[in-house]
């Protein structure tokens, strides 16, 4: 299959996913379950990454500024900009594309392999709707919160290292954080995140759902790798496009 | 109600697997599809339930042409189908109880209590009481098969498909599963289709048998006529092992 055939089948899958569910109650139950397995279970890694990245950014910025003309609070300003604009949305989503993506691909791929998807279809259940829609909705719902948490923790991490290591005083750091702050930057970041979330849920679902069952576990493993590569590329591309149109 | 297949053809990327198969699966009977590994038994079954689209021919459920139906019409038929897959195909994130309850949750308007009653009834029927809260990974292969049967009969199906219900099971457990399928068929007058290449099953429950060979419906009959037929192919299939060959020598 070439790229265009994949895209065509992907779009058809999305169409199928957004059909009216058999039972709203079942969708709700699956939605809650997915929020847990996609979102809540990723919180600790996101927290850790954000704290450390914020801290490193403060050190990096401080060590690269040795001109007296540049004020101290620039450290806070630069950290805020990098965290909010790129790290907490794009980087965190790239990392979660790996973690969440391989999870989703292997879960759905295994269901294909063990005929669980066939079992759903024979019962009369729209398997794409049943399996993929809750993942899409849960991702769209939970990812903005994850990104907001990452922003907050990143700035806290930076503040902690900055003050503890004597790089900057708390007042100056906070002043930097507030310097020329535009709430729009958060809107921009969350807007991007919605797109990322959509593809982090759907691309791995696609590769898992259409795994070749005669290839066995090997093929399921490959579908995980493919989906991580594909969703990372899509995230980078979308990031470029959205940034171009929203910030330029 | 019967299932009739008319001149079904199905191939994959050029190679024809089924080359025109016609047969009537009768209600209240255990209808068997037998044949060598790779002869297309699973493909035929998947064509009948619509997991594969047929290239040519028709599948008719109780007088209605399934092949010509659209998605929502097919769904009406599918809620009357129970299927047991070769590998059980239980949902492994669900407990035994949730697995059996799943079709009820999806397609019935029962209350929680009614569903639980039905689940327990089905589990009792396959002799799996008090296993409700175990997960598929915590029970044996034979038990998984029985849970899958319980799930397949939860919605009182008119049609039951079993793809190799006793592959990978010991002879004694196999017979138990065979008899269970046979009894359910009689009790609820189900049109049951069992795929097998196990001669024990054939002799135990073979009421209406079709033998697939080289993409054709090579021979039809039942467990009595299969041992007396002089069809060469069938003879080779039935008396494949040296033990059976010796037995045949003794018989004749
Ligand atoms: N999706 C598919 N794509 C291509 N070829 C297939 C597909 N499914 C089955 N086949 C081929 O069709 C043939 C029949 O397969 P099938 O699974 O029906 O055999 P079977 O009679 O069920 O065998 P077994 O007893 O081992 O289960 C095989 O040669 C198989 O390679
Ligand atoms: Mg088979």
């Amino acid at each position: 299959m070439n790229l265009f055939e994949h895209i065509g089948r992907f779009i058809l899958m999305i169409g199928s996913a957004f059909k009216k569910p058999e039972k709203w109650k079942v969708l709700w139950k699956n939605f809650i379950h997915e929020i847990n397995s996609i979102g809540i279970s990723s919180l600790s890694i996101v927290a850790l990454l954000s704290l450390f990245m914020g801290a490193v950014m403060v050190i990096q910025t401080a060590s690269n500024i040795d001109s007296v003309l540049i004020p101290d609070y620039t450290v806070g300003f630069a950290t805020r900009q990098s965290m909010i604009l790129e790290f907490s949305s794009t980087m965190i989503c790239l990392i979660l594309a790996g973690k969440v993506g391989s999870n989703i691909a292997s879960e759905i791929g295994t269901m294909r392999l063990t005929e669980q998807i066939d079992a759903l279809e024979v019962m009369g259940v729209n398997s794409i709707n049943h399996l993929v829609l809750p993942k899409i909705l849960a991702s769209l719902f939970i990812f903005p919160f994850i990104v907001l948490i990452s922003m907050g923790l990143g700035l806290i991490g930076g503040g902690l290292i900055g003050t503890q290591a004597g790089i900057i005083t708390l007042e100056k750091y906070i002043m930097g954080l507030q310097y020329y702050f535009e709430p729009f930057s958060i809107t921009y970041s969350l807007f991007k995140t919605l797109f990322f979330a959509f593809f982090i849920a759907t691309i791995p679902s696609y590769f898992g759902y259409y795994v070749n069952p005669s290839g066995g576990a090997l093929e399921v493993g490959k579908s995980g790798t493919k989906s991580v590569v594909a969703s990372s590329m899509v995230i980078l591309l979308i990031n470029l496009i959205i940034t171009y149109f929203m910030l330029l | 109600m019967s299932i009739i297949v008319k001149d079904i053809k199905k191939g994959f990327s050029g190679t024809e697997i089924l080359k025109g198969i016609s047969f009537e699966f009768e209600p209240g009977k255990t209808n068997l599809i037998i044949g060598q590994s790779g002869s297309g038994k699973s493909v035929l079954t998947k064509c009948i339930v619509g997991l594969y689209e047929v290239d040519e021919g028709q599948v008719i459920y109780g007088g209605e042409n399934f092949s010509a139906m659209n998605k929502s019409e097919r769904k009406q038929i599918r809620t009357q189908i129970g299927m047991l897959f070769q590998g059980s195909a239980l949902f492994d994130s669900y407990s035994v109880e949730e697995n059996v309850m799943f079709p009820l949750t999806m397609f019935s308007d029962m209350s929680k209590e009614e569903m639980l009653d039905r689940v327990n009834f089905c589990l009792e029927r396959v002799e799996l009481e008090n296993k409700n809260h175990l997960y598929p990974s915590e029970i044996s292969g034979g038990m998984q098969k029985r849970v899958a049967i319980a799930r397949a009969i939860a919605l009182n199906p008119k049609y039951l498909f079993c793809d190799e219900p006793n592959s990978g099971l010991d002879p004694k457990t196999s017979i138990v599963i065979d008899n269970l399928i046979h009894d359910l068929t009689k009790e609820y007058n189900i049109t049951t289709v069992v795929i097998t290449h196990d001669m024990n099953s054939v002799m135990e429950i073979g009421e209406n048998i079709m033998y697939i060979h080289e993409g054709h419906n090579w021979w039809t009959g039942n467990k009595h006529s299969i041992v007396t037929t002089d069809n060469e192919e069938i003879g080779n299939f039935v008396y494949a092992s040296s033990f059976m060959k010796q037995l045949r020598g003794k018989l004749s």
Side-chain angles (χ1 to χ4, degrees):
Chain A
M1 273 178 94
N2 65 34
L3 181 64
F4 293 103
E5 287 170 311
H6 277 295
I7 292 175
R9 197 166 64 169
F10 177 78
I11 292 171
L12 289 180
M13 183 191 86
I14 303 299
S16 226
F18 281 99
K19 290 266 160 62
K20 184 173 165 287
E22 196 66 47
K23 285 268 159 79
W24 291 100
K25 234 174 79 187
V26 176
L27 175 67
W28 176 251
K29 206 176 134 213
N30 290 341
F31 172 72
I32 299 296
H33 173 81
E34 295 299 341
I35 284 187
N36 221 337
S37 79
I38 292 175
I40 310 298
S41 72
S42 305
L43 279 181
S44 49
I45 177 94
V46 168
L48 204 67
L49 281 166
S50 309
L51 280 169
F52 275 74
M53 277 311 291
V56 168
M57 263 172 217
V58 163
I59 300 173
Q60 286 278 15
T61 322
S63 77
N64 281 296
I65 298 172
D66 44 13
S67 160
V68 284
L69 293 175
I70 300 173
D72 281 353
Y73 62 72
T74 310
V75 170
F77 171 77
T79 305
R80 180 197 83 204
Q81 290 297 75
S82 347
M83 286 306 294
I84 290 183
L85 291 175
E86 291 304 330
F87 182 81
S88 292
S89 49
T90 315
M91 285 308 294
I92 289 291
C93 284
L94 276 173
I95 289 159
L96 291 188
K99 178 185 176 289
V100 175
S102 54
N103 236 328
I104 292 179
S106 61
E107 179 195 329
I108 297 186
T110 306
M111 291 189 76
R112 165 68 73 195
L113 203 66
T114 54
E115 297 180 308
Q116 293 176 47
I117 290 181
D118 287 342
L120 285 170
E121 287 290 327
V122 170
M123 283 177 199
V125 178
N126 173 347
S127 58
I128 295 181
N129 173 270
H130 180 72
L131 296 173
V132 181
L133 185 60
K135 293 191 198 306
I136 299 178
L137 297 179
S139 293
L140 289 176
F141 176 78
I142 200 72
F143 268 71
F145 289 104
I146 292 181
V147 167
L148 285 173
I149 289 171
S150 162
M151 289 173 183
L153 288 177
L155 299 183
I156 291 173
L160 280 176
I161 199 82
T163 49
Q164 295 309 307
I167 296 170
I168 187 173
T169 64
L170 189 59
E171 292 73 39
K172 286 263 172 68
Y173 183 69
I174 290 176
M175 190 179 154
L177 293 186
Q178 294 170 333
Y179 184 74
Y180 268 102
F181 174 68
E182 287 182 62
F184 176 73
S185 58
I186 291 184
T187 314
Y188 151 81
S189 216
L190 293 182
F191 181 73
K192 292 201 292 195
T193 301
L194 288 179
F195 284 85
F196 300 159
F198 179 79
F199 287 104
I200 288 175
T202 49
I203 291 179
S205 297
Y206 172 82
F207 281 105
Y209 191 85
Y210 290 107
V211 72
N212 175 8
S214 49
L218 198 65
E219 210 54 41
V220 174
K222 277 190 203 157
S223 77
T225 314
K226 279 190 218 158
S227 63
V228 173
V229 173
S231 47
S232 304
M233 284 181 356
V234 169
I235 288 175
L236 292 173
L237 195 67
I238 291 177
N239 188 34
L240 183 67
I241 295 171
I242 294 183
T243 307
Y244 181 87
F245 283 107
M246 284 183 81
L247 296 190
L248 219 61
Chain B
M1 289 204 258
S2 67
I3 305 170
I4 300 173
V5 295
K6 279 189 187 161
D7 203 27
I8 288 197
K9 292 183 183 160
K10 177 71 184 170
F12 295 101
S13 52
T15 39
E16 228 182 0
I17 308 289
L18 307 175
K19 300 172 184 166
I21 293 205
S22 302
F23 194 65
E24 177 170 355
F25 300 95
E26 298 170 24
K29 283 192 180 174
T30 40
N31 302 274
L32 263 52
I33 302 176
I34 61 173
Q36 283 179 343
S37 203
S39 56
K41 304 183 295 291
S42 295
V43 171
L44 175 62
T45 317
K46 286 182 178 173
C47 285
I48 298 176
V49 298
L51 286 172
Y52 292 154
E53 291 303 322
V54 294
D55 295 340
E56 269 180 57
Q58 294 171 342
V59 181
I60 294 159
Y61 281 86
E64 295 180 83
N65 187 352
F66 183 73
S67 311
M69 289 179 184
N70 64 27
K71 257 198 169 150
S72 61
E73 290 168 332
R74 279 189 180 190
K75 211 174 92 185
Q76 294 313 110
I77 301 283
R78 280 189 169 161
T79 52
Q80 303 170 12
I81 294 179
M83 184 154 178
L84 173 62
F85 284 84
Q86 212 161 337
S88 295
L90 294 176
F91 304 126
D92 34 37
S93 56
Y94 288 0
S95 67
V96 166
E97 179 178 297
E98 288 166 330
N99 262 285
V100 182
M101 199 180 278
F102 182 77
L104 301 173
T105 327
M106 279 320 240
F107 297 109
S108 78
D109 296 317
M110 293 183 187
S111 69
K112 186 91 188 168
E113 291 75 40
E114 288 171 319
M115 283 198 270
L116 206 56
D117 279 350
R118 178 70 192 157
V119 168
N120 286 330
F121 173 81
C122 293
L123 284 175
E124 237 166 74
R125 196 64 198 72
V126 298
E127 286 164 32
L128 277 179
E129 297 96 342
N130 306 321
K131 299 279 189 289
N132 293 40
H133 300 295
L134 294 178
Y135 280 81
S137 58
E138 297 169 337
I139 58 179
S140 73
M143 283 155 96
Q144 288 178 6
K145 288 263 153 88
R146 283 188 276 162
V147 175
I149 293 176
R151 183 178 70 180
I153 61 169
L155 277 173
N156 261 325
K158 290 202 178 88
Y159 312 99
L160 181 63
F161 293 86
C162 306
D163 193 347
E164 307 205 6
N166 43 29
S167 65
L169 300 181
D170 63 275
K172 213 170 151 188
T173 314
S174 298
I175 296 294
V176 172
I177 301 260
D178 282 345
N179 285 328
L180 176 61
I181 292 169
H182 185 76
D183 293 348
L184 290 167
T185 304
K186 297 294 164 198
E187 235 173 282
Y188 303 107
N189 197 34
I190 306 173
T191 309
T192 302
V193 178
V194 179
I195 301 180
T196 185
H197 40 203
D198 176 7
M199 276 318 291
N200 286 325
S201 303
V202 174
M203 300 319 292
E204 191 78 16
I205 58 170
E207 293 178 290
N208 183 25
I209 306 174
M210 139 185 185
Y211 177 74
I212 300 190
H213 184 63
E214 289 179 352
H216 292 285
N217 180 357
W218 199 264
W219 179 89
T220 55
N222 59 38
K223 65 182 176 188
H224 305 297
S225 56
I226 199 168
V227 283
T228 53
T229 176
D230 48 14
N231 186 311
E232 181 102 9
E233 270 304 326
I234 284 283
N236 290 340
F237 184 78
V238 175
Y239 303 104
S241 69
S242 53
F243 171 73
M244 290 299 279
K245 278 184 189 128
Q246 280 176 6
L247 206 64
R248 184 185 210 181
K250 290 249 167 63
L251 284 175
S252 55

